[in-house]
Amino acid sequence: MEERIARGLAALGLTPPPDAAPKLAEYGRLLLEQNQVMNLTAITDPDQVVDLHFLDCAALLTLGVDFRDKSLIDVGTGAGFPGLPLKILEPSLRLTLLDSLGKRVRWLESVCEALSLDSVACLHARAEEQALAEGFRDGFDLVTSRAVAALPLLCELCLPYVKVGGLFLAMKSVDSGEELNQAGRAIAKLGGRLLPPVDYEIPGCGVRHRVVRVEKLSPTPKGYPRRWAKIQKAPL
């Protein structure tokens, strides 16, 4: 995996720290090992783990967004994507991994310890509840999420975390045009502005994905996010 990771990062034009490829390879090994007893990923081929997880996440670093010394919360992180690859590739990042499943969060803590990663908080919480907590609301330079929910719902979960002037980066498929159209009202209501999405190709496999970018213009109004049942029943 390490050699494939190094080739892919070079193809993306990235110059990561010398230990990035070995750490990502070890992360991949730990992921596939744990996946035998816990449902972390449907992707079990090592080459596909590199392409569809690690290089897919690494592509966020090619968008012209400055991740250096920034605070980032990865909402609904699952097995740590995209947050952990971003931290490995940009060690100055101050990262919070948030997930609603406790056993995933405990595994992520063990991975961070095994990889000697600092400035990473692994948080077991529901996104719509944690966004109301002091220090979290309007508290992060960057917020990421990867295929957690439809974009109108995702914006209500994630935009409350973004500082004014910060960015929400949602990783989506290239056929997400209808979601973009439907999310416009929610984005405006929550204090954001939709920027042009960016499509990219993962090197080595020809798969194309999209990053939806939302800039935070003003604090999210009180009352948002609502309870999850309400968000689902009546999307903005």
Side-chain angles (χ1 to χ4, degrees):
M1 272 196 289
E2 184 176 337
E3 184 179 338
R4 189 178 185 92
I5 291 166
R7 287 200 311 267
L9 295 176
L12 286 168
L14 298 174
T15 53
D19 64 352
K23 282 189 174 182
L24 285 169
E26 176 63 7
Y27 178 17
R29 187 192 69 77
L30 294 169
L31 172 70
L32 293 175
E33 178 182 78
Q34 187 67 16
N35 202 56
Q36 296 177 26
V37 295
M38 183 190 302
N39 182 23
L40 291 170
T41 176
I43 299 169
T44 56
D45 176 77
D47 286 349
Q48 289 193 328
V49 168
V50 172
D51 296 344
L52 301 179
H53 283 323
F54 298 152
L55 298 182
D56 187 33
C57 297
L60 291 182
L61 296 170
T62 69
L63 302 181
V65 177
D66 187 3
F67 284 79
R68 289 172 299 177
D69 296 311
K70 296 295 192 298
S71 59
L72 183 151
I73 185 168
D74 187 20
V75 175
T77 189
F81 304 120
L84 270 185
L86 292 173
K87 172 64 178 178
I88 292 168
L89 294 166
E90 181 45 73
S92 69
L93 197 63
R94 302 185 304 280
L95 176 65
T96 299
L97 300 171
L98 185 148
D99 199 84
S100 62
L101 191 63
K103 63 181 180 179
R104 275 200 297 254
V105 171
R106 289 190 292 275
W107 176 75
L108 288 168
E109 288 175 336
S110 72
V111 171
C112 291
E113 183 176 357
L115 299 181
S116 300
L117 300 178
D118 58 13
S119 299
V120 182
C122 300
L123 185 61
H124 174 213
R126 293 190 60 85
E128 71 276 15
E129 296 172 357
Q130 194 63 33
L132 304 176
E134 185 177 353
F136 285 82
R137 190 174 186 83
D138 299 311
F140 293 85
D141 300 307
L142 299 165
V143 177
T144 54
S145 194
R146 189 178 188 231
V148 170
L151 193 58
L153 283 67
L154 198 56
C155 286
E156 185 166 353
L157 293 176
C158 293
L159 270 176
Y161 288 100
V162 187
K163 287 180 180 178
V164 173
L167 285 174
F168 169 41
L169 304 172
M171 302 181 73
K172 287 288 181 179
S173 68
V174 291
D175 60 357
S176 56
E178 186 58 33
E179 282 189 54
L180 283 170
N181 293 335
Q182 294 173 351
R185 180 173 179 271
I187 290 169
K189 195 174 189 68
L190 295 164
R193 176 172 72 98
L194 185 64
L195 301 177
V198 178
D199 294 351
Y200 61 91
E201 185 171 307
I202 302 172
C205 66
V207 174
R208 291 186 64 78
H209 283 161
R210 170 174 294 166
V211 177
V212 176
R213 304 175 302 157
V214 182
E215 182 183 13
K216 187 75 169 283
L217 298 180
S218 60
T220 299
K222 290 183 179 179
Y224 299 101
R226 299 165 294 167
R227 293 186 179 275
W228 177 239
K230 183 70 171 178
I231 294 173
Q232 286 184 300
K233 185 177 180 180
L236 294 177

